[in-house]
Amino acid sequence: KKSRSSVEMNDRSFRPELADKDADIAAYDRILLGFPIWWYVEPRIVDTFLERSDFSGKTVIPFATSGGSGIEKAERSLKSHCPQANWKKGKLLNHMDAAAWTKSVLDSGC
């Protein structure tokens, strides 16, 4: 009950601080957003990043790893925290070649 994931995920308003508060995403049109699934959704620090950055006009493609959950609840949560982004379908990368998937996404022009 005192693990980091339990403490953070028990409070939906919890927003951990970012180490790099000046991440400049302005130069990017497409952003691959990767994270582990915690309690069926993204960790709260991902919410911090989404809420503090301007994703207007950006295409965001989420990908995740999980011990047993799908990515669907995380996709809905991501969109709720950052509705101004152009969200593409997410992908769980368990047991697959993440480098090959990344290359295919970038080559496809998504």
Side-chain angles (χ1 to χ4, degrees), residues 1 16 18 30 34 40-41 45 60-62 79-80 87 93 99:
K1 292 187 177 191
L18 298 171
R30 288 180 293 166
Y40 307 102
V41 294
I45 196 157
V60 184
I61 307 159
K79 290 175 186 177
S80 75
W87 289 96
L93 297 183

Side-chain angles (χ1 to χ4, degrees), residues 65-90:
T65 58
S66 174
S69 303
I71 195 170
E72 297 78 19
K73 287 184 182 179
E75 288 177 304
R76 288 191 297 274
S77 178
L78 294 166
K79 290 175 186 177
S80 75
H81 291 288
C82 186
Q84 71 274 24
N86 174 24
W87 289 96
K88 296 295 183 181
K89 178 78 177 121

Side-chain angles (χ1 to χ4, degrees), residues 14-108:
F14 188 80
R15 294 296 180 269
E17 285 297 316
L18 298 171
D20 181 356
K21 296 178 184 175
D22 298 319
D24 185 10
I25 63 169
Y28 302 98
D29 295 327
R30 288 180 293 166
I31 298 169
L32 298 176
L33 181 66
F35 52 90
I37 301 283
W38 281 9
W39 293 25
Y40 307 102
V41 294
E42 71 283 359
R44 300 289 185 228
I45 196 157
V46 175
D47 299 338
T48 302
F49 175 64
L50 292 174
E51 292 168 356
R52 292 188 182 174
S53 302
D54 182 9
F55 284 87
S56 300
K58 309 287 184 196
T59 296
V60 184
I61 307 159
F63 65 95
T65 58
S66 174
S69 303
I71 195 170
E72 297 78 19
K73 287 184 182 179
E75 288 177 304
R76 288 191 297 274
S77 178
L78 294 166
K79 290 175 186 177
S80 75
H81 291 288
C82 186
Q84 71 274 24
N86 174 24
W87 289 96
K88 296 295 183 181
K89 178 78 177 121
K91 180 79 172 170
L92 270 183
L93 297 183
N94 294 345
H95 312 293
M96 70 176 302
D97 184 350
W101 175 81
T102 302
K103 183 177 179 338
S104 73
V105 167
L106 295 176
D107 290 347
S108 74

